[in-house]
Amino acid sequence: MALTRSDVDRFQAARPRLEAIAYRLLGSASEAEDAVQETFLRWQAADVGRIEVPEAWLTKVLTNWCLNMLTSARARRETYVGRWLPEPLLAGDPMLGPADTAEQRESVSYAVLVLLERLSPNERAVYVLREAFDYPHREIAEVLEISEAASQQLYHRAKKHITDGRAHTEIDEAAARRIVEEFLAAATTGRTEPLVRLLTQDAFAVGDGGGKVPARTKAFEGALAVATFMRGLFKPGAAKRAHVGGAPEIYATTANGGPAVVAVVEGRVVGIICLEATAEGIVAVRTQANPDKLVRATAQWSAADHAEGPLHTL
């Protein structure tokens, strides 16, 4: 059935919210875009005039499509080369969605996206819809076709997994930049001691190269091991430049609302390091280097102004 201009406009008005939901559910911007496009195709094929609450209908179609994608994604990730990490989004990306409350900002943090991978698809859906978009359990139950009590139970279970998995520390943009500047200053000294002082004793570092960029499968654990690895990572070298196609410029920014280091070669983002910081220090260093997961970040980076320039060049 052909859509009217009004029907198309109604969907376009809902698109930002749908993209933000899908990104939180899938941890992938490209897959989120696919899910929203599939939702539009379903909207296009529906008898729109008979849909009483379009927002609820679109949310249900999108969420259930994402649940199917999550189920198949789990099978794909069993054969994924190396460690799978979510696709980070740089500051200003509209797919990050609402950030008015602490819960909304927390729900899209990189650390929480990693922890969401431990949840069942239904737990993840309930957590995202409730925590980030404040859907009442009655509506969530209708979306997932479960009871309201089951929705509440899934939410409490998911919330416990997320809370038990990390120590929450909210950091504003100025503090995030300060953390990155201190981290880079320590990482580029050529010595491990300055970095060790910034890290917690149980700090760890992991990376995702997707089999296309070298990345250690097993995490580096402990402040000294992480500091030693970072010292080598930020050491300039001809082989490193040849591998990425030039001399990486290193910038301080935020990704998913948290402190992040971005490596850029001739306008192309070649790596994003997301730092998870607590009051005790940096507890996790997660590096996304899979070029397939940096396409959107490159587009976002190219569209932004970087008048302050890089903090370091390798």
Side-chain angles (χ1 to χ4, degrees):
M1 184 174 294
L3 296 179
T4 66
R5 169 45 59 184
S6 175
D7 295 332
V8 173
D9 289 345
R10 185 176 294 174
F11 182 86
Q12 292 302 333
R15 181 182 287 275
R17 179 181 56 85
L18 296 175
E19 287 186 344
I21 292 173
Y23 172 67
R24 285 167 168 80
L25 287 176
L26 300 171
S28 165
S30 59
E31 290 182 358
E33 289 173 342
D34 290 343
V36 172
Q37 181 59 27
E38 182 62 32
T39 303
F40 176 73
L41 294 177
R42 301 289 180 90
W43 175 252
Q44 194 174 38
D47 186 353
V48 174
R50 301 185 65 180
I51 298 175
E52 294 182 3
V53 186
E55 181 182 278
W57 188 92
L58 291 169
T59 300
K60 181 170 185 174
V61 171
L62 174 85
T63 301
N64 283 284
W65 182 260
C66 287
L67 292 180
N68 290 335
M69 292 180 73
L70 280 173
T71 301
S72 60
R74 292 197 169 195
R76 291 198 308 274
R77 286 170 196 170
E78 289 179 2
T79 60
Y80 190 82
V81 179
R83 181 71 65 99
W84 188 95
L85 289 175
E87 179 179 346
L89 297 182
L90 299 178
D93 193 312
M95 198 175 279
L96 289 170
D100 299 325
T101 67
E103 290 77 14
Q104 289 172 337
R105 293 188 291 273
E106 174 80 351
S107 71
V108 79
S109 71
Y110 203 67
V112 166
L113 287 183
V114 171
L115 290 172
L116 286 174
E117 289 294 308
R118 302 180 185 178
L119 305 182
S120 71
N122 271 6
E123 286 174 340
R124 187 165 183 163
V126 171
Y127 179 85
V128 166
L129 292 174
R130 179 64 182 161
E131 195 78 355
F133 297 91
D134 201 29
Y135 277 79
H137 283 290
R138 174 182 54 77
E139 292 184 19
I140 296 173
E142 291 173 1
V143 167
L144 298 178
E145 297 183 353
I146 58 177
S147 69
E148 191 170 340
S151 175
Q152 293 171 335
Q153 185 177 32
L154 286 167
Y155 173 71
H156 290 306
R157 191 184 307 156
K159 183 81 169 177
K160 185 177 187 303
H161 281 310
I162 299 299
T163 304
D164 290 349
R166 70 191 297 263
H168 171 60
T169 302
E170 189 160 9
I171 299 170
D172 62 26
E173 191 170 344
R177 182 175 179 84
R178 195 160 55 245
I179 289 168
V180 175
E181 289 174 346
E182 291 176 357
F183 176 80
L184 284 175
T188 54
T189 61
R191 297 181 293 117
T192 58
E193 294 83 0
L195 265 175
V196 169
R197 288 195 291 269
L198 293 179
L199 300 164
T200 62
Q201 286 304 304
D202 60 348
F204 65 92
V206 294
D208 179 350
K212 300 178 180 182
V213 175
R216 180 183 166 98
T217 302
K218 187 177 180 181
F220 291 92
E221 298 181 346
L224 182 58
V226 173
T228 302
F229 169 65
M230 287 293 132
R231 182 190 63 188
L233 185 65
F234 283 95
K235 184 178 181 180
K240 193 172 297 179
R241 296 189 193 102
H243 181 75
V244 296
E249 295 180 329
I250 309 300
Y251 293 82
T253 187
T254 61
N256 294 75
V261 178
V262 177
V264 181
V265 175
E266 297 180 355
R268 176 172 50 91
V269 175
V270 296
I272 299 176
I273 300 176
C274 297
L275 305 176
E276 183 180 354
T278 66
E280 289 73 37
I282 296 171
V283 68
V285 181
R286 300 182 176 94
T287 302
Q288 184 54 261
N290 183 344
D292 293 342
K293 297 182 183 181
L294 297 173
V295 173
R296 186 179 178 94
T298 294
Q300 185 75 12
W301 185 265
S302 300
D305 179 30
H306 308 288
E308 294 181 348
L311 294 177
H312 190 71
T313 300
L314 297 183

